[in-house]
């Protein structure tokens, strides 16, 4: 069993991005500028956005955090999105999800200029990705693809089972794994909460991608010997063993599943760091397209 170290790979990618930014500075050019909009004070979102700002500093990007309280109106948020769309000093931006119930998330996502959509959630980017055109790809699926590529994991003709059908992970990773490309060229099956015989389907997987958001969902008897397991789950569960009072738990029961795997991602330290670094890659990609 080999551990897929997302932390290590993400640090390598950050160094590569930092070198490109240094070259831009040396040539007297402006550097990429990423803006994050944060609404309210959700603990997970606060932590995630703080990490993103730190990542920007690490690679030499300019970054800006725009905060709103929970009671911000949809109209105010849409006005800010439009302002950022038209601001030439902004390379890319994200609106951190989830948003308060009174704001339609999809309306906000669709208001973002696809060329500045650092999260890769806009339907135009999703559609372009699905038919194999250059696009800003949703960060978590892009991170998974990057891990498979950097670990030289064979995907051609392999049976890839994706558990979960979210617009942010399940659907795009299924689309990417079936592209005529490497990583890709896989036979893809998508399972979800209404699927029957999930265990039997998972046992056929050469590559199992768990993105259902259910802690410990994938058990030892659902994974075949030698499978590659990618755990996308990051659920905060209460814990008496940590200072914060919670721990991040994946969708896979790591201790019992890992001995059967050829490769497996840990939680934390697997897909999570890659999601953050792909946001930087998208911002750099957007920057290049805007020049």
């Amino acid at each position: 069993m080999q551990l897929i170290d997302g932390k290590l790979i993400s640090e390598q990618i950050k160094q590569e991005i930092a070198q490109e930014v240094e070259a831009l500075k040396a040539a007297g050019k402006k550097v990429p500028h990423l803006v994050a909009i944060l609404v309210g004070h959700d603990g997970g979102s606060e932590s995630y956005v703080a990490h993103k700002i730190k990542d920007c500093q690490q690679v030499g990007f300019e970054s800006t955090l725009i905060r709103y309280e929970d009671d911000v109106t949809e109209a105010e948020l849409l006005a800010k999105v439009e302002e950022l769309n038209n601001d030439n000093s902004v390379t890319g931006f994200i609106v951190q999800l989830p948003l308060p119930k009174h704001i339609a998330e999809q309306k906000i996502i669709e208001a973002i200029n696809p060329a500045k959509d650092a999260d890769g959630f806009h339907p135009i980017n999703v559609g372009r990705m699905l038919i194999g055109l250059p696009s800003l790809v949703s960060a978590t699926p892009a991170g998974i693809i990057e891990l498979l590529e950097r670990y030289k994991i064979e995907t051609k003709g392999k049976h890839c089972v994706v558990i979960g059908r979210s617009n942010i992970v399940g659907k795009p990773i299924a689309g990417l794994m079936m592209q005529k490309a490497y990583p890709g060229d896989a036979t893809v099956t998508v399972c979800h909460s209404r699927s029957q015989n999930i265990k039997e389907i998972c046992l056929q997987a050469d590559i199992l991608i768990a993105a259902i958001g259910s802690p410990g969902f994938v058990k030892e008897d659902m994974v075949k010997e030698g499978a590659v397991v990618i755990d996308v789950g990051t659920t905060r569960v209460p814990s008496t063993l940590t200072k914060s009072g919670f721990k991040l738990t994946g969708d896979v029961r790591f201790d019992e599943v890992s001995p059967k795997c050829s490769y497996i991602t840990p939680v934390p330290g697997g897909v999570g760091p890659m999601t953050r670094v792909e946001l930087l890659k998208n911002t750099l990609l957007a920057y290049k397209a805007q020049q």
Side-chain angles (χ1 to χ4, degrees):
M1 183 275 287
Q2 187 174 350
L3 207 60
I4 297 176
D5 190 339
K7 204 160 184 282
L8 177 74
I9 300 295
S10 70
E11 288 303 324
Q12 287 174 1
I13 295 168
K14 277 188 210 166
Q15 285 170 12
E16 292 162 13
I17 295 171
Q19 284 170 356
E20 285 202 54
V21 174
E22 278 304 316
L24 290 173
K25 283 180 183 169
K29 295 181 178 173
K30 66 170 192 169
V31 299
H33 178 196
L34 178 66
V35 175
I37 297 177
L38 180 59
V39 178
H41 301 275
D42 174 76
S45 294
E46 288 269 6
S47 153
Y48 197 49
V49 168
H51 280 308
K52 287 172 180 173
I53 301 293
K54 194 175 162 196
D55 290 341
C56 285
Q57 289 167 348
Q58 211 176 331
V59 299
F61 285 4
E62 193 183 329
S63 66
T64 304
L65 172 57
I66 299 169
R67 282 181 172 276
Y68 288 103
E69 290 302 319
D70 280 325
D71 60 359
V72 64
T73 66
E74 188 174 273
E76 280 178 275
L77 207 49
L78 285 167
K80 179 53 74 174
V81 166
E82 190 54 28
E83 185 188 314
L84 294 174
N85 283 341
N86 296 317
D87 185 343
N88 291 333
S89 74
V90 174
T91 309
F93 64 97
I94 62 153
V95 180
Q96 182 64 34
L97 305 179
L99 292 169
K101 296 275 188 287
H102 65 280
I103 295 173
E105 286 186 357
Q106 196 56 35
K107 195 188 274 191
I108 302 297
I109 289 167
E110 290 183 33
I112 296 169
N113 176 352
K116 293 189 176 189
D117 171 32
D119 265 331
F121 293 164
H122 194 286
I124 286 176
N125 279 320
V126 177
R128 288 178 65 88
M129 177 274 295
L130 200 59
I131 60 173
L133 293 175
S135 61
L136 298 174
V137 176
S138 182
T140 300
I144 294 168
I145 292 295
E146 188 103 46
L147 286 175
L148 294 171
E149 186 175 2
R150 297 218 177 202
Y151 275 84
K152 298 182 170 57
I153 292 167
E154 185 55 70
T155 59
K156 185 169 68 174
K158 300 294 183 185
H159 188 182
C160 172
V161 173
V162 179
I163 313 175
R165 55 178 168 181
S166 71
N167 292 339
I168 289 170
V169 183
K171 288 175 187 171
I173 193 61
L176 288 166
M177 289 300 289
M178 66 173 86
Q179 294 292 340
K180 284 185 180 176
Y182 173 75
D185 279 325
T187 301
V188 181
T189 302
V190 179
C191 297
H192 45 77
S193 57
R194 299 291 181 271
S195 298
Q196 296 182 350
N197 308 324
I198 284 189
K199 178 181 166 182
E200 288 74 12
I201 296 167
C202 288
L203 279 166
Q204 298 169 31
D206 302 306
I207 301 168
L208 182 63
I209 300 173
I212 200 167
S214 175
F217 182 85
V218 177
K219 303 172 186 69
E220 182 266 343
D221 64 356
M222 294 168 70
V223 179
K224 78 173 182 185
E225 205 69 46
V228 175
V229 174
I230 307 291
D231 188 351
V232 184
T234 50
T235 306
R236 290 150 72 100
V237 299
S239 169
T240 53
L241 304 174
T242 59
K243 258 188 207 169
S244 60
F246 69 86
K247 63 172 183 169
L248 280 185
T249 305
D251 288 349
V252 177
R253 297 191 183 193
F254 184 88
D255 291 347
E256 60 180 73
V257 170
S258 55
K260 295 182 87 169
C261 300
S262 54
Y263 294 88
I264 187 169
T265 60
V267 175
V271 175
M274 296 302 296
T275 298
R276 281 167 43 200
V277 87
E278 291 299 330
L279 190 77
L280 298 177
K281 278 189 77 174
N282 271 350
T283 306
L284 188 58
L285 208 59
Y287 175 91
K288 289 172 178 173
Q290 290 163 24
Q291 298 312 299

